[in-house]
Amino acid sequence: MTSTALRPSAAGRAAPRRAAPPRQKLTPHRRKEALTFYLFISPWVIGFVVFLLGPMLFSIYLSFTEWDSFTAPVWVGLDNYITLLTDDPIFLRVMGNTAYYSLISVPLGMVVSLFIANLLNKKVRFRKLFRTLVYLPHLIPIVAVALIFQMVFAPEAGPLNQALALIGIDGPNWLRDADWVKPALILMSLWQAGGGTILLLAGMNGIPKELYEAAEIDGASGFRQFWSVTFPQLTPVIFFNLIMGIIGSFQVFAQVFILTGGGPDNASQMAVPMLFDEAFRFYHMGYGSAIAWILFVVIMAFTALAFATSGRWVFYESEVRQ
């Protein structure tokens, strides 16, 4: 029998308490299994510590120093953060550009993905071909996409301005006009909307057909079926696309680096390209590390806000709400 101890309860009565079971010794077989487990997981653990956790901790330290990569780091405390947040107008403008890009490109990309997914979910001829064509741009490396759009946005020979000229509109110099360079980058972000589209299509295929049949019996129109059946069932996928879109938009780099270099007059400069310039062009490693951690806090804040509000609009199949 298991021994028990008596413990007085809040009401003065004795309540039984089970004794902790004795710790079992590992058998040779279990010890071998444990060693095998640690052997197989060790490459990931070593890689995580050496290439992710270690550099992250080192960058935290560097953000409180002034270091040019050649001499010993000099501790400056919070000077890098204070300068960035109070005495660097370029950084404040860069964060404004990044927020502008993120707050427009992410919702717009989600709407476009949802619209395309709803069209491709219809029973039409060559549906599989259309789905493949929509997803193909997502597989093209971002550097190649940037070079393609460098030709698309060309002020005179570019197909975009030529198409606008057909309807009597004089197209702008997209990549050299401070008023149009950020909209150009946002238009370019729609090129790779196929990734979110495929996830939404997978979610649509998982919606029970009985829900649509019940909606048809009740006389619901096509739009009403989409709004009352399709959209609520897709909210977990939409939420996932939102989180990934927020993270990706705040980390935009290659488009700016290749197409504009941050110009004209820092109108298209974003946080990560500025981080790259400060750390690897001007050798201000401490300053660049501080930018990285401010950006990390901003991304975490927007992500936390999305999670905090998700309970109001994200619905899960197994969830029961009062």
Side-chain angles (χ1 to χ4, degrees):
M1 295 180 60
T2 305
S3 60
T4 60
L6 296 181
R7 180 181 58 186
S9 63
R13 294 175 298 177
R17 182 177 60 183
R18 293 185 178 180
R23 187 173 181 179
Q24 297 181 354
K25 295 183 179 180
L26 288 178
T27 63
H29 178 69
R30 287 184 175 274
R31 186 178 294 106
K32 183 178 179 181
E33 286 185 340
L35 291 175
T36 304
F37 165 77
Y38 288 118
L39 177 63
F40 277 96
I41 202 176
S42 60
W44 181 90
V45 173
I46 295 172
F48 173 78
V49 172
V50 174
F51 298 108
L52 185 61
L53 182 60
M56 285 179 63
L57 296 177
F58 186 56
S59 70
I60 294 177
Y61 164 72
L62 287 180
S63 68
F64 297 104
T65 68
E66 184 177 327
W67 187 45
D68 60 3
S69 302
F70 302 103
T71 59
V74 178
W75 183 267
V76 295
L78 295 174
D79 286 358
N80 289 329
Y81 292 97
I82 294 174
T83 302
L84 282 168
L85 297 176
T86 63
D87 197 29
D88 191 341
I90 295 178
F91 176 72
L92 297 179
R93 184 177 184 183
V94 164
M95 292 305 295
N97 292 340
T98 308
Y100 176 93
Y101 176 84
S102 180
L103 293 176
I104 295 181
S105 66
V106 174
L108 184 61
M110 293 173 63
V111 170
V112 171
S113 296
L114 185 59
F115 177 75
I116 296 175
N118 191 47
L119 289 180
L120 295 179
N121 197 44
K122 308 294 183 182
K123 294 183 179 180
V124 295
R125 295 182 62 185
F126 308 113
R127 182 172 61 171
K128 293 183 179 180
L129 175 62
F130 292 143
R131 290 179 176 180
T132 303
L133 294 177
V134 166
Y135 188 68
L136 276 179
H138 187 72
L139 302 177
I140 301 176
I142 190 64
V143 175
V145 173
L147 294 176
I148 292 173
F149 272 86
Q150 191 173 37
M151 296 182 288
V152 171
F153 290 133
E156 297 179 359
L160 181 56
N161 278 357
Q162 289 182 351
L164 293 174
L166 295 177
I167 56 178
I169 298 177
D170 187 13
N173 189 347
W174 294 92
L175 301 179
R176 294 293 177 263
D177 190 329
D179 295 328
W180 287 99
V181 64
K182 286 191 290 292
L185 294 175
I186 292 171
L187 287 176
M188 178 181 168
S189 69
L190 300 179
W191 173 258
Q192 292 187 311
T197 301
I198 293 300
L199 294 176
L200 290 168
L201 276 172
M204 289 179 179
N205 291 333
I207 299 176
K209 303 300 181 184
E210 294 81 2
L211 298 178
Y212 293 104
E213 295 173 357
E216 289 181 0
I217 293 174
D218 291 339
S221 62
F223 176 78
R224 188 64 183 177
Q225 291 182 32
F226 173 81
W227 186 251
S228 299
V229 178
T230 305
F231 185 81
Q233 295 288 321
L234 288 178
T235 49
V237 181
I238 295 174
F239 178 65
F240 175 80
N241 286 343
L242 173 63
I243 297 299
M244 299 306 295
I246 291 174
I247 297 173
S249 63
F250 273 97
Q251 294 179 337
V252 60
F253 172 74
Q255 301 92 310
V256 176
F257 187 79
I258 295 173
L259 291 179
T260 68
D265 192 25
N266 292 314
S268 66
Q269 184 69 297
M270 303 291 178
V272 175
M274 181 182 179
L275 185 161
F276 177 84
D277 289 342
E278 291 291 342
F280 299 104
R281 290 182 60 189
F282 308 134
Y283 298 104
H284 300 156
M285 286 292 180
Y287 207 66
S289 298
I291 295 174
W293 283 101
I294 291 176
L295 181 61
F296 173 79
V297 171
V298 171
I299 293 175
M300 289 298 296
F302 275 92
T303 304
L305 179 62
F307 272 98
T309 58
S310 64
R312 301 180 181 180
W313 60 276
V314 180
F315 304 92
Y316 296 97
E317 186 175 354
S318 60
E319 185 179 24
V320 178
R321 297 190 178 185
Q322 300 296 330

